[in-house]
Amino acid sequence: GQNIDQPTEMTATEGAIVQINCTYQTSGFNGLFWYQQHAGEAPTFLSYNVLDGLEEKGRFSSFLSRSKGYSYLLLKELQMKDSASYLCAVRPNFNKFYFGSGTKLNVKP
Amino acid sequence: DADVTQTPRNRITKTGKRIMLECSQTKGHDRMYWYRQDPGLGLRLIYYSFDVKDINKGEISDGYSVSRQAQAKFSLSLESAIPNQTALYFCATSDRQGGREKLFFGSGTQLSVL
């Protein structure tokens, strides 16, 4: 089976940095994705990693270590609008995506 | 206009009723998916289709069926709805772009089965 773990909920302060971790055990690996989902809305794509290392995109960065089955999403200069759930997804093969249960991030003033 | 459109946005029905959720897309993507989302369980794949003649079961297909009427349309049916099918349902599409294929989601359908 596929197993993807992330913390259920995190709280951080506006302007700070927060790191959301994701660990996975899957039958194969062809990419790891991060999505953002605001309450009651559709998930939207944030980042993609397939090779080890850090991918940076503005205030958001994502890191992957394939040997450790580990990724993290780093959010810098937090804003109130970053309050959302962050979903980690792994694609074991080119047919399917498997999602973690999501991490709800609360940004407080 | 939304690229991936789901109808209805909300639906309340009774146990035993047949329900159809519809999804249409203007992105021109070949691949379409149906997911359900439950609190604490994340998104789980119900069915997926890679073209009009291709239908595949996902993790949790029991109690559901699908129809791919055209490249742009993919509907999900609950033949006899039961309360534990109460969930938020998402349709998604994707297009092969080498390895960078990603999912584009519709706005979701909140289904309540009483």
Side-chain angles (χ1 to χ4, degrees), chain A residues 51-109:
Chain A
L51 300 176
D52 290 352
L54 190 67
E55 293 278 344
E56 297 185 80
K57 189 186 295 184
R59 294 189 299 114
F60 293 6
S61 303
S62 56
F63 172 83
L64 175 67
S65 169
R66 288 173 297 171
S67 63
K68 295 182 179 179
Y70 168 69
S71 174
Y72 67 72
L73 180 69
L74 194 70
L75 291 75
K76 303 176 185 176
E77 301 170 11
L78 277 173
Q79 302 175 9
M80 297 300 293
K81 67 178 182 179
D82 297 329
S83 292
S85 290
Y86 292 85
L87 314 180
C88 174
V90 176
R91 188 177 59 197
N93 53 50
F94 284 106
N95 292 345
K96 300 178 186 178
F97 296 76
Y98 290 90
F99 285 81
S101 55
T103 299
K104 183 179 180 183
L105 176 64
N106 303 301
V107 180
K108 60 181 184 180

Side-chain angles (χ1 to χ4, degrees), chain A residues 31-50:
Chain A
L32 186 141
F33 300 76
W34 285 95
Y35 284 81
Q36 182 190 58
Q37 185 179 23
H38 285 100
E41 298 183 9
T44 55
F45 171 79
L46 284 179
S47 70
Y48 165 77
N49 295 73
V50 67

